[in-house]
Amino acid sequence: MKIRLDYGRTGLDANFPDQINVSIVDPPRGRPLADPTGAIEAALAQPMGASPLGELARGKRNAVVVISDKTRPVPYGTVLPPLLRTLESAGIARERIELLVATGLHRSNTADELAEMTSSELLQTYRFRNHVARNADEHLHLGRTTRGTEIWLDRGFVESDLKVVTGLIEPHLMAGYSGGRKAVAPGLAGVETMRRAHGPKMLEDNVGPGIVDGNPFHADLMEIARRAAVDFMLDVSIDRERRVTGVYAGDIEQAHAAGMADVERHVRVDLEIPADVVVASAGGYPLDQTFYQSIKGLTAALNIVRRGGTIILVAALSEGVGSQDFQTLLSDAQSNDEYMAQICSAGFFRVDQWMVQHLCQVRRKAQVIVVTDGLAPDRIRGLMGRWAPSVEDAMREMLQRYGRQMHVAVIPQGPYVLSTVRGRKLPLGRAWMDDAV
């Protein structure tokens, strides 16, 4: 059996023995829209829970349009032109429209990356700016959330006359689903906001892919977005080929809720029994460029791997491990327990500690094997995992370990899929405790 996995820009074909039980976790996705530009124009004119964008823009001196960074495959070449035309038609001069990249705590995007994300024409025509979380002078303090999170947000965004956020709705390991309020925080938040919002206590709570109700991280982000007074949201959903399948525009809570419900119908796959082995893509380009982002492929598999099982992560890792902060944390992490004790100690905080915590959550339940041509085998061993030269080699090892009766689940699209056993969405911090999986 040959299965194509999303890997880098080109994909990767993996061969599985015919004699074993293989479940392909491949959702139906939505159908690509025949006229995505027309659908976006209609959504801007008839949004959910908000006035049309053109009406909101009239009389405004300036506007900030927030866009995702390079780690999200948002088809901005399609999404942005009708939105920008609407703002200009309403009287906001082109030079007073800023496209603000919601980098969160990621690095700034280069001009070449921005051109690839949007288009060379848009890059030459409009003013782009990268949010810089570590520059305290570029943020305003808006108080605290009811959970005590300090709200520090991008000054230019907060002070703009019209605030528009855009993005992609997909399963997300912390927020349940991406898009909507995530464009504001962590997208435009300062480091101090992330100290609590991405803190170890928060991430051991009711947090995981597809979990929204009772998710304190989602609730915190929504409160921050409301405090920032976002005027309008334009989010989309996509298929495996990154074509637009849905458009959700209007109020940041109402329109996003409709989008999340729609996306779940198209990306959720329920298995009847857990798998001994899960082969998971890290989502392909641009998500699998670093090990930092590729951990999302591991968390996507956590719901369906049995306790004591194995997750085989397939990721290109063309840019290596990730930030220096992340690399240092990984090199210092001797074991799950020692790492958790360190980050839970009073006063401890390091940028990117949350992704190492998610890796620890995975390793509580399953062993990790990484298939990549982007890093050397010795480097993988330093990432709290093992290396295999190919999926086929890893599967030969699994046959020796579990035998031909093993159940193998394959997630070709990785974190873009919401996989469950009988519909149960398990919090990442507690997934290893569940006897049923």
Side-chain angles (χ1 to χ4, degrees), residues 95-110:
E95 60 272 17
R96 290 186 174 273
I97 299 173
E98 178 179 76
L99 295 175
L100 176 57
V101 186
T103 56
L105 290 166
H106 305 162
R107 67 167 174 82
S108 294
N109 295 176
T110 67

Side-chain angles (χ1 to χ4, degrees), residues 14-28:
N15 293 293
F16 294 83
D18 290 332
Q19 302 90 339
I20 63 173
N21 176 20
V22 177
S23 299
I24 303 176
V25 186
D26 198 15

Side-chain angles (χ1 to χ4, degrees), residues 18 24 80 93 106 117-118 153 159 167 171 173 202 249 322 331 350 395 421:
D18 290 332
I24 303 176
L80 285 177
H106 305 162
M117 290 160 49
T118 59
L153 294 179
E159 293 181 342
L173 76 171
M202 177 76 82
S331 64
R350 299 288 187 277
M395 288 307 302
V421 175

Side-chain angles (χ1 to χ4, degrees), residues 7-293:
Y7 181 90
R9 293 178 182 270
T10 58
L12 178 71
D13 289 328
N15 293 293
F16 294 83
D18 290 332
Q19 302 90 339
I20 63 173
N21 176 20
V22 177
S23 299
I24 303 176
V25 186
D26 198 15
R29 290 284 189 180
R31 292 184 178 180
L33 301 179
D35 180 13
T37 297
I40 292 169
E41 290 173 340
L44 296 175
Q46 296 179 308
M48 290 179 267
S51 298
L53 181 61
E55 292 182 14
L56 292 173
R58 288 194 189 99
K60 299 295 193 298
R61 297 170 302 166
N62 56 57
V64 171
V65 177
V66 180
I67 65 173
S68 300
D69 76 353
K70 75 186 206 77
T71 62
R72 271 63 176 176
V74 189
Y76 276 124
T78 300
V79 171
L80 285 177
L83 188 157
L84 295 170
R85 285 196 298 270
T86 300
L87 297 181
E88 291 185 48
S89 296
I92 301 179
R94 182 171 295 178
E95 60 272 17
R96 290 186 174 273
I97 299 173
E98 178 179 76
L99 295 175
L100 176 57
V101 186
T103 56
L105 290 166
H106 305 162
R107 67 167 174 82
S108 294
N109 295 176
T110 67
D112 287 344
E113 290 166 344
L114 292 172
E116 181 182 12
M117 290 160 49
T118 59
S119 70
S120 297
E121 181 182 356
L122 287 174
L123 186 62
Q124 295 168 5
T125 305
Y126 292 90
R127 176 164 49 94
F128 284 74
R129 177 168 66 88
N130 284 291
H131 164 71
V132 182
R134 291 170 175 81
N135 189 339
D137 292 338
E138 292 186 7
H139 296 79
L140 287 177
H141 188 238
L142 301 183
R144 294 184 179 185
T145 67
T146 54
R147 289 167 181 78
T149 301
E150 298 280 358
I151 306 175
W152 288 93
L153 294 179
D154 187 278
R155 180 185 297 272
F157 175 74
V158 174
E159 293 181 342
S160 63
D161 273 10
L162 184 68
K163 305 175 185 69
V164 180
V165 298
T166 68
L168 173 68
I169 302 179
E170 59 183 339
H172 187 267
L173 76 171
M174 299 179 197
Y177 284 93
S178 65
R181 66 282 187 253
K182 278 193 84 264
V184 181
L188 305 179
V191 173
E192 285 304 308
T193 296
M194 293 301 98
R195 177 184 290 272
R196 187 178 184 93
H198 278 19
K201 183 177 179 181
M202 177 76 82
L203 300 188
E204 297 295 326
D205 207 324
N206 192 42
V207 168
I211 299 174
V212 176
D213 293 339
N215 182 334
F217 184 67
H218 162 74
D220 228 22
L221 300 193
M222 185 58 70
E223 187 174 349
I224 292 172
R226 286 297 191 195
R227 193 78 60 89
V230 174
D231 295 296
F232 198 88
M233 183 202 88
L234 173 61
D235 278 2
V236 297
S237 58
I238 58 174
D239 66 6
R240 193 174 183 182
E241 284 71 44
R242 314 293 164 84
R243 298 170 296 188
V244 177
T245 59
V247 181
Y248 311 96
D251 174 72
I252 195 169
E253 189 165 1
Q254 185 174 331
H256 188 246
M260 289 190 293
D262 228 12
V263 167
E264 179 153 328
R265 286 192 290 271
H266 295 145
V267 303
R268 180 172 147 186
V269 177
D270 300 330
L271 301 183
E272 281 301 313
I273 59 172
D276 301 292
V277 179
V278 180
V279 179
S281 159
Y285 182 86
L287 200 60
D288 74 347
Q289 293 178 94
T290 65
F291 184 65
Y292 175 93
Q293 290 290 342

Side-chain angles (χ1 to χ4, degrees), residues 321-386:
V321 178
S323 72
Q324 188 56 55
D325 289 323
F326 180 63
Q327 294 185 52
T328 300
L329 286 163
L330 274 174
S331 64
D332 291 344
Q334 299 302 312
S335 70
N336 287 11
D337 291 344
E338 287 184 17
Y339 179 77
M340 291 304 298
Q342 180 187 34
I343 66 173
C344 291
S345 60
F348 184 91
F349 178 77
R350 299 288 187 277
V351 171
D352 289 344
Q353 67 183 45
W354 37 89
M355 290 307 283
V356 184
Q357 182 177 353
H358 286 313
L359 179 58
C360 288
Q361 290 170 335
V362 171
R363 292 178 72 246
R364 291 174 198 165
K365 189 178 185 185
Q367 71 166 334
V368 173
I369 297 176
V370 180
V371 174
T372 183
D373 57 9
L375 289 176
D378 287 346
R379 192 71 182 94
I380 296 296
R381 283 190 283 271
L383 305 179
M384 300 200 291
R386 296 195 296 111

